[in-house]
């Protein structure tokens, strides 16, 4: 199952990207996390159960922050937008 999840994010600091990458490893799910100027994009290519397990882990471990905005599933993402460099 492919899924693209967008988290609105209004800072260029990469700390949430690193947290999400660590959670992806911990959950052992086939996913990537990229940071852009206004958002973080999580892309999954995994079974529905694995994605659900990842989001359960995310809910438990992701710190609450004023920097995080809305988050939702999207159909596609414009890959021509430049990813923020670390």
């Amino acid at each position: 199952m492919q899924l693209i999840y967008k988290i609105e994010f209004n800072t260029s600091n990469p700390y949430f990207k690193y947290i999400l990458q660590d959670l992806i490893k911990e959950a052992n799910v086939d996913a990537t996390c990229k940071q852009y100027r206004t958002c973080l994009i999580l892309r999954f290519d995994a079974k529905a159960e694995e994605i659900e397990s990842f989001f359960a882990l995310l809910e438990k471990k992701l710190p609450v922050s004023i920097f995080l905005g809305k988050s939702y599933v999207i159909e596609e993402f414009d890959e021509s937008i430049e990813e923020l460099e670390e």
Side-chain angles (χ1 to χ4, degrees), residues 2-77:
Q2 291 187 348
L3 180 105
I4 304 171
Y5 193 73
K6 180 178 182 179
I7 301 171
E8 293 179 5
F9 190 64
N10 60 4
T11 181
S12 60
N13 191 317
Y15 59 92
F16 273 110
K17 176 184 172 182
Y18 297 140
I19 291 170
L20 290 168
Q21 288 173 334
D22 287 344
L23 291 175
I24 287 167
K25 287 179 190 172
E26 184 177 335
N28 195 27
V29 64
D30 187 3
T32 59
C33 178
K34 293 185 179 182
Q35 184 172 354
Y36 299 89
R37 181 173 299 282
T38 62
C39 65
L40 294 160
I41 296 293
L42 292 167
R43 288 185 179 273
F44 296 89
D45 190 11
K47 295 178 182 176
E49 299 83 24
E50 294 171 340
I51 296 171
E52 289 173 14
S53 293
F54 171 79
F55 280 107
L57 180 65
L58 179 68
E59 186 177 320
K60 280 185 189 176
K61 296 200 172 188
L62 187 65
V64 175
S65 172
I66 60 169
F67 297 110
L68 289 177
K70 299 176 189 172
S71 55
Y72 43 90
V73 173
I74 58 176
E75 293 294 320
E76 58 185 47
F77 185 74

